[in-house]
Amino acid sequence: MSRKVLCVAEKPSIAKAVAYHLGGGNVRVKDVPGVRWVKNYEFDFSFGPPWGNCSVIMTSVAGHINGLDFEQQYRSWRSCQPAQLFDAPVIDTIDQEKKPIAKNIEVQARYARTLFIWTDCDREGEHIGTEVKKLALKANQRMEVKRAKFSNIERAHVLHAAQHPVDLDDRQANAVSARIELDLRIGASFTRLQTMSLQNLGPELRDLILSYGSCQFPTLGFVVDRYFRVKNFVPETFWRIKLSHLREDISVDFSWERVHLFDRMTVTLLSERCLSARLARVSKMQTKPTSKWKPLPLTTVDLQKMGSMFLGMDSQRVMKIAEELYTKGWISYPRTETDQFDRGMDLRRLIEKQTNDHNWGPFAQGLFDGNFQQPRAGRNNDQAHPPIHPVNYVAVNVLGDDERKVYEFVVRRFLACCSEDAKGESTTVEIEYGDETFHTNGLIVLQRNYLDIYPYDRWESSRQLPRYILGEQFMPTEVNMLEGKTGAPGYLTEPELIALMDANGIGTDATMAEHIAKIKDRNYVMAQSRSGWRTANQIDNSGNEVGRGNRGARLRGRGRGGRAGGEVGATARGSGNSMQEFIPTTLGVALIEGYDNVGFETSLSKPFLRKEMEFKMKEICAGRKSRTEVVHESLEQYREVFVKTSQQIEVLKAGTYGIVLATRPLWSIKVSEQSGIPTECAALVYSWSSKASAPIDVFVHKKP
């Protein structure tokens, strides 16, 4: 009698693809009672020694089966003090809609000798695998448990994964378990505290859930911080010397080595010294080969940033499309930190699959015929998945518009990685004029190489410089002293926000897009096309200007020039006018300002606490800390902040109330005992009410 094996995938689409790869044409499909979109696939497959030929049932879950919640007596908002949630008992739960899925696993496990996990090979997948394992062992304690290690659903890769099973990584599962408990306890306690404390401050807040998340607030903090840098920016006048020379009918502009100075008299004196010298002397003439490096292999963070810049989608949409392309078998697993290909990976075979495309096929053919170059190796390797790359070819005309954009980007990035760096020749001419030094540069692109397939990079030839001889003297054609003003930074764009989150350890590559979506869903920020927000101030419906923040010191804007102050930001080539930038709403500013006014040593709006928590998760994965240890340490850190917030809750109320009032006419503002604001905070409230702090807010997130 053949061994019975139960295989469980993370998604129905993966279960179907794996079943047909393993079962060939002999797959029997059966419905699962109570859930139409999950199927059981029955077939025979030879796993090799020691299992041999087996009778297989392949099914799936749909993400996490279990949830974590407080025991029933703590679930009502007013059932206990928010502080009690740091220690309240928690239990595993199963949503009603997922109970048929759980029952199906238990039923099938009773008759199987082996459980084979096919969840995604990342932390979250390991935890989902342990959830499946617990359900199966509950029904059959004698089961052997293994997992498949795979990064795409190409047939050969799936067959290899089936015949080379590994053990579940309990350390990674424990890290996720710790994160889930911490997010529940910290999020619930702070959310209840700030919602119940602030909702009576006015009708704008009465029906809102003012949610808190340990990743959500630092993400919001980045947006608010940039907003105030823009609002408080003070343009500063500078002066510079412009020198040009006409030779061989080519006008050459030389840049001043000092760039610009902020003292007009000093620049006037320096320019007069230059003019009195009359002749400039060539002090350096250098021509040398140069290169523009091809891109590194594609990671999840880079996919999200580049997608937001060039594909006309936000990061969450990019990841959703990438997941769909993965489940259909077109690209590899799209959640990876790895930016280096394994030397043993057959990249030429992947290139060959792309040679039939009428857009990039000829370029791929050239690589396959001998132009292939090994991709650059970055510094990151998560030891789980290779960089994102195309697995199979699909004609773009059978894909949806967004699918086509993401698939084409992945293919072009991969082919660019396998190409050669662009080659050019750079020329530098340096001159001395009076006591000042000026220089100019020229570039000739000789071989475009990877640029021919990768339009997302630019490297263009400048106009060729005329010939200069070292030591020669000439009289400049034009010397002028010009005035300019420094320009404010732009509001935070989505690629910039993702980069900040990545650098500061806020979320993982797989969850960053979710955190950004959350602060938008909560109406803490508004997302707008960058081209739609050219001015710093906004106008409300009454014609009044809003958005004058008074946070922190006024900024002096040195380091960015231009007579007109500089553009807020140009739209990336190929993206239309769709690159998003974020502006905090009144509510978002109120919460960040309120917490900052409390005076924490480590503010909740800063990334430090969450960054430390993410580091501890890695310590669990490495076996240097236990789950219990990390949960206890992190809860104590946040408990300390919670206690101080509770003690200073009137400061939080005052800051929040004052900012909310900034959107009301001044005659309607009243500070009284009924408002919940103590009289000693009245001055703070009135100082806020006299100046709006952010674009007018629309309070739409209702409490259920």
Side-chain angles (χ1 to χ4, degrees):
M1 184 176 178
S2 62
R3 173 191 291 254
K4 290 185 179 295
V5 176
L6 172 61
C7 294
V8 183
E10 187 171 326
K11 308 175 186 72
S13 56
I14 299 296
K16 181 178 180 180
V18 171
Y20 279 95
H21 284 327
L22 299 184
N26 300 312
V27 178
R28 300 171 298 282
V29 183
K30 293 187 177 181
D31 293 331
V32 174
V35 53
R36 292 186 299 172
W37 35 275
V38 173
K39 306 293 183 183
N40 289 340
Y41 301 91
E42 299 179 359
F43 54 90
D44 294 328
F45 179 74
S46 178
F47 287 92
W51 297 350
N53 193 58
C54 299
S55 175
V56 182
I57 293 179
M58 182 88 198
T59 190
S60 75
V61 292
H64 286 280
I65 305 172
N66 291 47
L68 191 70
D69 205 347
F70 299 106
E71 289 187 352
Q72 189 64 45
Q73 63 266 36
Y74 296 95
R75 294 183 191 177
S76 171
W77 275 62
R78 301 190 182 276
S79 60
C80 65
Q81 291 298 317
Q84 293 179 253
L85 299 179
F86 279 91
D87 303 300
V90 292
I91 56 173
D92 285 327
T93 62
I94 300 177
D95 288 342
Q96 192 65 35
E97 64 178 17
K98 294 194 174 181
K99 286 183 177 179
I101 299 175
K103 184 177 180 181
N104 180 54
I105 291 173
E106 291 178 355
V107 169
Q108 301 305 327
R110 291 172 192 161
Y111 310 104
R113 291 178 58 190
T114 302
L115 173 65
F116 206 150
I117 303 293
W118 286 80
T119 53
D120 293 340
C121 295
D122 55 14
R123 277 194 210 169
E124 215 72 27
E126 295 300 316
H127 190 269
I128 295 170
T130 61
E131 293 175 7
V132 173
K133 174 183 173 182
K134 288 177 183 178
L135 279 173
L137 292 180
K138 180 180 175 183
N140 183 352
Q141 296 182 359
R142 298 186 300 275
M143 292 185 78
E144 178 184 16
V145 181
K146 291 290 182 180
R147 78 111 71 235
K149 189 170 184 179
F150 64 106
S151 60
N152 65 70
I153 54 171
E154 184 190 28
R155 185 174 185 275
H157 190 70
V158 167
L159 292 175
H160 182 272
Q163 294 172 339
H164 297 82
V166 298
D167 293 325
L168 276 168
D169 189 335
D170 290 332
R171 291 174 178 176
Q172 289 198 58
N174 286 336
V176 175
S177 176
R179 190 260 305 157
I180 290 172
E181 181 174 349
L182 288 169
D183 285 349
L184 172 66
R185 294 187 181 279
I186 295 167
S189 57
F190 276 95
T191 296
R192 289 191 192 182
L193 174 68
Q194 65 189 25
T195 299
M196 293 190 294
S197 299
L198 304 179
Q199 65 183 183
N200 293 324
L201 297 184
E204 298 92 342
L205 301 175
R206 189 165 298 135
D207 295 325
L208 301 184
I209 292 179
L210 304 179
S211 70
Y212 172 86
S214 57
C215 285
Q216 181 180 321
F217 258 54
T219 303
L220 173 60
F222 291 134
V223 176
V224 173
D225 182 67
R226 175 65 70 86
Y227 170 78
F228 278 109
R229 286 178 57 195
V230 174
K231 307 308 293 181
N232 296 328
F233 183 84
V234 179
E236 190 166 5
T237 303
F238 62 79
W239 290 266
R240 64 187 177 92
I241 301 174
K242 178 189 176 184
L243 185 152
S244 61
H245 181 229
L246 184 66
R247 171 171 287 190
E248 300 172 8
D249 294 325
I250 299 174
S251 181
V252 183
D253 292 325
F254 287 85
S255 300
W256 191 19
E257 199 70 20
R258 299 178 190 265
V259 185
H260 56 241
L261 297 177
F262 294 91
D263 186 285
R264 180 176 182 176
M265 183 59 69
T266 300
V267 178
T268 301
L269 291 173
L270 293 175
S271 63
E272 287 179 351
R273 288 183 184 178
C274 291
L275 291 169
S276 63
R278 297 186 65 250
L279 296 178
R281 184 179 68 86
V282 178
S283 58
K284 180 181 179 181
M285 175 72 187
Q286 184 181 57
T287 298
K288 62 179 181 179
T290 187
S291 299
K292 182 171 178 60
W293 289 353
K294 61 190 179 183
L296 285 167
L298 187 60
T299 64
T300 303
V301 170
D302 213 21
L303 174 62
Q304 293 176 81
K305 290 194 294 185
M306 298 294 283
S308 180
M309 290 174 67
F310 296 109
L311 306 184
M313 297 176 241
D314 63 31
S315 56
Q316 190 176 40
R317 178 65 178 166
V318 171
M319 290 309 300
K320 182 177 185 299
I321 296 299
E323 285 277 0
E324 291 174 359
L325 292 172
Y326 160 66
T327 57
K328 292 176 180 177
W330 305 131
I331 67 172
S332 62
Y333 188 60
R335 300 185 186 276
T336 176
E337 299 175 9
T338 303
D339 56 6
Q340 51 187 255
F341 282 107
D342 181 57
R343 282 278 178 175
M345 194 169 175
D346 190 354
L347 302 181
R348 287 181 176 84
R349 181 178 59 83
L350 297 174
I351 292 171
E352 184 181 17
K353 294 182 179 182
Q354 300 296 328
T355 56
N356 293 327
D357 188 84
H358 69 279
N359 287 317
W360 54 78
F363 189 91
Q365 188 66 56
L367 294 180
F368 186 73
D369 289 343
N371 295 331
F372 170 81
Q373 297 287 322
Q374 186 67 27
R376 293 168 56 199
R379 299 179 178 180
N380 303 302
N381 191 331
D382 60 18
Q383 303 297 323
H385 298 287
I388 304 167
H389 61 275
V391 173
N392 287 301
Y393 173 71
V394 57
V396 293
N397 59 357
V398 304
L399 298 174
D401 188 50
D402 286 350
E403 286 183 321
R404 176 191 59 76
K405 290 178 183 178
V406 175
Y407 180 74
E408 181 173 346
F409 174 78
V410 171
V411 172
R412 288 183 179 274
R413 176 66 169 252
F414 172 69
L415 295 177
C417 289
C418 298
S419 183
E420 192 172 359
D421 297 338
K423 306 291 184 181
E425 184 179 84
S426 68
T427 300
T428 301
V429 179
E430 193 173 279
I431 64 172
E432 293 178 355
Y433 187 38
D435 295 329
E436 299 306 303
T437 302
F438 298 81
H439 68 272
T440 189
N441 297 291
L443 171 68
I444 300 174
V445 177
L446 301 175
Q447 299 174 31
R448 289 180 53 80
N449 295 332
Y450 89 89
L451 292 170
D452 286 332
I453 196 64
Y454 196 67
Y456 315 101
D457 272 357
R458 272 188 173 177
W459 201 47
E460 306 287 350
S461 294
S462 62
R463 185 162 51 175
Q464 188 170 357
L465 294 177
R467 180 173 176 77
Y468 288 92
I469 300 173
L470 185 65
E472 76 163 295
Q473 293 183 318
F474 63 86
M475 181 177 290
T477 306
E478 181 182 1
V479 180
N480 289 317
M481 189 176 84
L482 301 179
E483 178 183 312
K485 286 184 181 294
T486 54
Y491 294 112
L492 202 63
T493 64
E494 188 165 26
E496 290 172 331
L497 179 55
I498 292 170
L500 282 170
M501 295 172 71
D502 184 42
N504 288 279
I506 301 303
T508 65
D509 56 352
T511 62
M512 289 177 190
E514 297 172 13
H515 299 316
I516 294 172
K518 181 65 71 177
I519 62 172
K520 290 193 289 184
D521 292 343
R522 291 295 192 236
N523 292 288
Y524 293 163
V525 303
M526 295 183 291
Q528 297 288 340
S529 168
R530 163 151 276 192
S531 60
W533 290 83
R534 292 293 183 187
T535 59
N537 296 314
Q538 305 303 316
I539 306 299
D540 66 18
N541 294 332
S542 303
N544 300 313
E545 186 182 86
V546 296
R548 299 175 184 161
N550 66 347
R551 173 189 174 101
R554 289 159 68 89
L555 303 179
R556 306 296 289 183
R558 302 192 178 200
R560 184 171 171 180
R563 185 173 181 85
E567 189 177 43
V568 172
T571 303
R573 181 162 63 111
S575 66
N577 295 319
S578 59
M579 185 164 67
Q580 290 188 334
E581 60 183 6
F582 300 112
I583 297 91
T585 63
T586 304
L587 180 59
V589 171
L591 292 172
I592 295 299
E593 283 290 281
Y595 276 110
D596 285 355
N597 288 338
V598 171
F600 296 116
E601 184 177 336
T602 304
S603 174
L604 291 178
S605 69
K606 304 304 180 193
F608 310 118
L609 282 175
R610 182 65 195 203
K611 185 175 185 177
E612 185 175 348
M613 187 191 297
E614 288 292 343
F615 176 77
K616 289 175 180 177
M617 299 303 156
K618 293 180 180 178
E619 293 286 277
I620 295 176
C621 293
R624 290 188 286 267
K625 281 185 178 290
S626 69
R627 177 197 180 282
T628 303
E629 199 177 354
V630 168
V631 169
H632 175 73
E633 290 176 0
S634 298
L635 282 179
E636 289 309 305
Q637 285 181 306
Y638 277 92
R639 193 197 305 267
E640 183 180 343
V641 176
F642 183 90
V643 170
K644 186 166 185 178
T645 302
S646 301
Q647 293 170 345
Q648 301 288 321
I649 195 66
E650 300 302 341
V651 177
L652 179 61
K653 283 183 179 182
T656 305
Y657 189 58
I659 296 178
V660 170
L661 288 181
T663 64
R664 300 184 193 170
L666 288 178
W667 54 263
S668 69
I669 297 172
K670 294 181 180 179
V671 179
S672 65
E673 293 181 4
Q674 286 73 26
S675 70
I677 299 297
T679 54
E680 60 267 25
C681 295
L684 175 60
V685 171
Y686 277 114
S687 71
W688 270 115
S689 67
S690 63
K691 54 178 77 70
S693 62
I696 199 79
D697 196 359
V698 180
F699 296 95
V700 296
H701 192 72
K702 303 288 186 179
K703 281 183 67 176

